[in-house]
């Protein structure tokens, strides 16, 4: 585990918690990294290790999760985008590289559109390119389609931390050698409360609002309005490690991204989670973050 410090910055309604992994050298570039819809800042722990101090990595707990679970609404992708602009402003950061995984990638694209002076190039990890919602689904059905079993977990209780670990170790995405100390720390940051009724830190209303908000027109269109270059690293496999990932060549072609500053890049042999939490995906992300940070 790479050492980090927890910081807090003022945002609307209170303070946003963030984790900071410092670079080896003063004055090194800074990257801000955003997590997925039911995740937290420690989902970036593997990437932090693989960056090896070449940049300073700052990953917030988004509003309604982990260290920021106490922040009130309104929630939604726009609220997160504005929170990230407030975070960079509070830390005196300009034109930083902005990365995001899953929902965090959608937050990153909207933040870049709403606050173009704040952010430099984007690295989107298995997210950021959306598709219109099926019109026949209710909001609750839509949430099930978007994140499935993850939503159920938010209403569950667990007798202790070992039980939560076992719950996650049974997830198909973390089978085999996908478990690591960073993954363990990441999932444990999500757990709160007292035994024998511990539960996720994620506020259900925040997750529900954010999930439905992924289909808002301004969120879906943000990737086509980017004022900065962006790279999309897409995972070959899906949320449950199924062969069909969120993206493939055909889906990206149908998204009509020609003429935008987005470059899609496939990452083989990873799923939606391990593209971020595994060493293979983490190395790809870390290398690209370093390269983007050192652009003239």
């Amino acid at each position: 585990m790479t050492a980090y410090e927890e910081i807090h910055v003022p945002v609307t309604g209170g303070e946003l918690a963030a984790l900071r992994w410092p670079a080896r050298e003063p004055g090194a570039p800074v990257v801000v990294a955003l997590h997925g819809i039911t995740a937290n800042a420690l989902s970036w722990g593997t990437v932090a290790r693989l960056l090896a101090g070449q940049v300073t990595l700052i990953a917030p707990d988004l509003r309604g999760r982990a260290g920021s679970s106490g922040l009130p609404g309104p929630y939604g992708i726009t609220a997160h985008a504005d929170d990230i602009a407030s975070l960079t402003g509070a830390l005196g950061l300009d034109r930083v590289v902005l990365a995001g995984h899953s929902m965090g990638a959608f937050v990153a694209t909207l933040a870049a559109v709403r606050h173009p002076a704040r952010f430099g190039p984007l690295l989107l990890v298995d997210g950021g390119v959306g598709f219109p919602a099926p019109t026949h689904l209710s909001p609750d059905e839509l949430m099930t389609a978007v994140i499935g079993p993850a939503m159920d977990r938010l209403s569950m209780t667990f007798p202790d931390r070992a039980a939560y670990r076992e719950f996650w170790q049974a997830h198909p995405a973390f089978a085999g050698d996908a478990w690591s100390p960073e993954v363990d720390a990441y999932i444990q940051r999500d757990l709160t409360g007292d035994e024998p009724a511990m539960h996720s830190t994620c506020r259900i209303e925040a997750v529900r609002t954010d999930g439905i908000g992924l289909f808002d027109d301004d969120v879906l269109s943000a990737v086509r309005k980017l004022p900065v270059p962006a790279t999309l690293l897409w995972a070959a496999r899906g949320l449950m490690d199924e062969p069909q990932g969120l993206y493939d060549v055909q889906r990206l072609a149908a998204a009509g991204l020609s003429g935008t500053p987005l470059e899609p890049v496939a990452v083989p042999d990873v799923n939606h989670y391990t593209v971020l939490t595994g060493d293979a995906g983490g190395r790809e992300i870390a290398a690209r973050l370093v390269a983007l940070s050192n652009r003239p």
Side-chain angles (χ1 to χ4, degrees):
M1 291 290 296
T2 305
Y4 61 84
E5 62 176 334
E6 184 161 338
I7 61 176
H8 295 84
V9 298
V11 294
T12 301
E15 290 189 331
L16 191 76
L19 305 184
R20 179 181 181 271
W21 288 269
R24 291 190 306 266
E25 301 294 334
V30 176
V31 170
V32 174
L34 313 178
H35 62 72
I37 191 165
T38 63
N40 61 71
L42 273 183
S43 63
W44 289 88
T46 300
V47 172
R49 169 171 54 83
L50 295 168
L51 283 168
Q54 296 176 83
V55 303
T56 289
L57 181 66
I58 298 174
D61 289 324
L62 295 178
R63 183 179 292 260
R65 285 86 170 165
S68 303
S69 63
L71 276 173
Y75 306 107
I77 309 304
T78 298
H80 296 311
D82 292 347
D83 282 346
I84 302 312
S86 295
L87 178 145
T88 56
L91 298 178
L93 303 174
D94 286 308
R95 310 301 298 173
V96 296
V97 173
L98 184 59
H101 172 243
S102 194
M103 184 194 78
F106 289 91
V107 176
T109 61
L110 189 61
V113 170
R114 288 176 62 84
H115 306 280
R118 284 272 169 219
F119 305 108
L122 304 184
L123 184 66
L124 311 178
V125 182
D126 222 33
V129 177
F131 303 92
T135 55
H136 65 283
L137 295 181
S138 70
D140 287 334
E141 290 171 332
L142 185 59
M143 283 303 301
T144 299
V146 172
I147 59 174
M151 195 68 179
D152 296 335
R153 170 175 56 86
L154 306 187
S155 300
M156 296 172 65
T157 59
F158 300 86
D160 53 33
R161 292 190 174 275
Y164 199 50
R165 179 180 296 111
E166 291 169 4
F167 172 86
W168 274 104
Q169 287 176 326
H171 194 294
F174 293 107
D177 60 358
W179 199 260
S180 69
E182 287 98 354
V183 171
D184 193 70
Y186 149 50
I187 67 103
Q188 294 295 343
R189 186 170 176 82
D190 177 52
L191 198 62
T192 190
D194 299 317
E195 299 179 3
M198 304 187 80
H199 57 89
S200 171
T201 63
C202 296
R203 289 195 172 193
I204 294 177
E205 64 269 30
V207 172
R208 189 175 187 277
T209 300
D210 295 347
I212 294 170
L214 290 172
F215 298 94
D216 289 348
D217 288 343
D218 58 341
V219 176
L220 290 174
S221 65
V223 72
R224 296 171 180 82
K225 300 176 182 177
L226 288 175
V228 292
T231 302
L232 168 64
L233 299 179
W234 57 273
R237 301 179 70 83
L239 279 78
M240 303 297 286
D241 201 43
E242 67 272 33
Q244 176 62 61
L246 296 179
Y247 303 110
D248 57 29
V249 172
Q250 291 74 28
R251 288 181 179 180
L252 289 169
L257 299 171
S258 60
T260 70
L262 179 71
E263 177 192 11
V265 177
V267 184
D269 303 321
V270 297
N271 61 50
H272 179 73
Y273 289 96
T274 59
V275 68
L276 179 64
T277 63
D279 276 15
R283 278 192 293 269
E284 180 75 19
I285 293 170
R288 290 183 177 270
L289 290 178
V290 172
L292 290 173
S293 298
N294 289 311
R295 277 186 178 180

